[in-house]
Amino acid sequence: EAGVTQFPSHSVIEKGQTVTLRCDPISGHDNLYWYRRVMGKEIKFLLHFVKESKQDESGMPNNRFLAERTGGTYSTLKVQPAELEDSGVYFCASSHRTTAFEQYFGPGTRLTVT
Amino acid sequence: SQQGEEDPQALSIQEGENATMNCSYKTSINNLQWYRQNSGRGLVHLILIRSNEREKHSGRLRVTLDTSKKSSSLLITASRAADTASYFCATDEVRGFQKLVFGTGTRLLVSP
């Protein structure tokens, strides 16, 4: 069974540019989560999809971040325009609907904003 | 509110020694999990302990949970150089709608 995959693995962009991160969850997992780790701090929750619906987006830092999960399969996280403080590692995780707390994480996307 | 604070922040030991990491949290939880992150890689799930459990074992890993003190410990026995990584505890709160709350992690260095 394939795990959670994320693309790209690393992105370097300039301040003000746009970046789109992609996450492909484990097949059959209704739950999809985005987290990020900034500046070596703790890993923080961003948002949670159940299928294509946003269940909880309380962790989204501001309206420069837009997450979508059209069709309830893969998800994208767009940052527009990117700021320096957005640099960090963005993790995606997925879980089965009956065991939502058992979340399987992808390798992360390291975003560097210069 | 921040929770899942790990202690120590960094730990350096020799191969064959045991490593103990601690985690504290602040709210009522359903489960507590430990994850490992090797340098530049993703988070790997190690072990989950439910709020009604006190101890759990998996291979060389031993996890304890004390809900009265809101704390957990992860013990890695007979450590190996390959155990070098950052270790995070993560909790899912009773009212947290399934999101995980992580701490800042413990960086473990195991020297050959």
Side-chain angles (χ1 to χ4, degrees):
Chain A
E1 178 183 274
V4 177
T5 58
Q6 293 187 244
F7 182 83
S9 59
H10 193 182
S11 179
V12 181
I13 61 172
E14 294 182 352
K15 176 182 174 182
Q17 290 185 322
T18 298
V19 63
T20 300
L21 313 180
R22 173 170 170 145
C23 168
D24 286 79
I26 292 172
S27 178
H29 280 190
D30 289 343
N31 294 298
L32 187 149
Y33 309 80
W34 284 97
Y35 295 83
R36 73 173 181 176
R37 189 181 188 201
V38 175
M39 293 289 288
K41 296 184 178 178
E42 66 269 26
I43 301 164
K44 285 195 171 180
F45 166 83
L46 295 178
L47 88 159
H48 169 206
F49 284 99
V50 177
K51 296 186 179 179
E52 67 275 9
S53 300
K54 292 177 184 175
Q55 175 76 16
D56 179 0
E57 51 184 330
S58 61
M60 295 288 265
N62 52 60
N63 59 11
R64 295 185 294 103
F65 289 75
L66 175 63
E68 295 179 327
R69 192 184 182 194
T70 306
T73 54
Y74 71 91
S75 174
T76 58
L77 179 64
K78 180 189 289 187
V79 185
Q80 178 183 31
E83 298 289 344
L84 297 178
E85 62 265 25
D86 300 332
S87 295
V89 181
Y90 289 76
F91 293 103
C92 176
S94 71
S95 65
H96 192 271
R97 59 181 174 82
T98 59
T99 52
F101 50 86
E102 289 190 31
Q103 297 176 21
Y104 296 85
F105 282 76
T109 293
R110 180 173 295 278
L111 174 64
T112 302
V113 183
T114 61
Chain B
S1 61
Q2 178 181 353
Q3 66 177 28
E5 298 179 8
E6 277 96 284
D7 166 52
Q9 290 188 332
L11 181 60
S12 183
I13 59 175
Q14 299 290 316
E15 268 192 327
E17 295 181 336
N18 295 340
T20 300
M21 289 159 268
N22 302 296
C23 165
S24 62
Y25 58 92
K26 296 179 180 177
T27 63
S28 297
I29 64 171
N30 293 315
N31 308 279
L32 185 144
Q33 304 176 69
W34 285 89
Y35 287 84
R36 181 186 72 219
Q37 183 186 20
N38 291 83
S39 179
R41 299 187 179 180
L43 291 165
V44 175
H45 183 266
L46 295 177
I47 193 167
L48 177 149
I49 186 166
R50 301 182 189 279
S51 59
N52 62 355
E53 297 176 313
R54 292 297 168 258
E55 187 171 313
K56 202 162 185 179
H57 297 255
S58 177
R60 294 185 295 113
L61 305 180
R62 173 178 170 258
V63 171
T64 62
L65 178 64
D66 187 335
T67 52
S68 67
K69 295 182 179 179
K70 291 185 167 59
S71 67
S72 172
S73 68
L74 171 67
L75 168 66
I76 303 174
T77 60
S79 63
R80 306 165 181 167
D83 294 328
T84 295
S86 290
Y87 292 80
F88 299 89
C89 71
T91 55
D92 58 294
E93 302 172 355
V94 171
R95 297 176 184 176
F97 302 104
Q98 305 171 356
K99 67 182 180 186
L100 297 181
V101 180
F102 287 85
T104 53
T106 293
R107 296 187 309 277
L108 174 65
L109 173 63
V110 183
S111 301

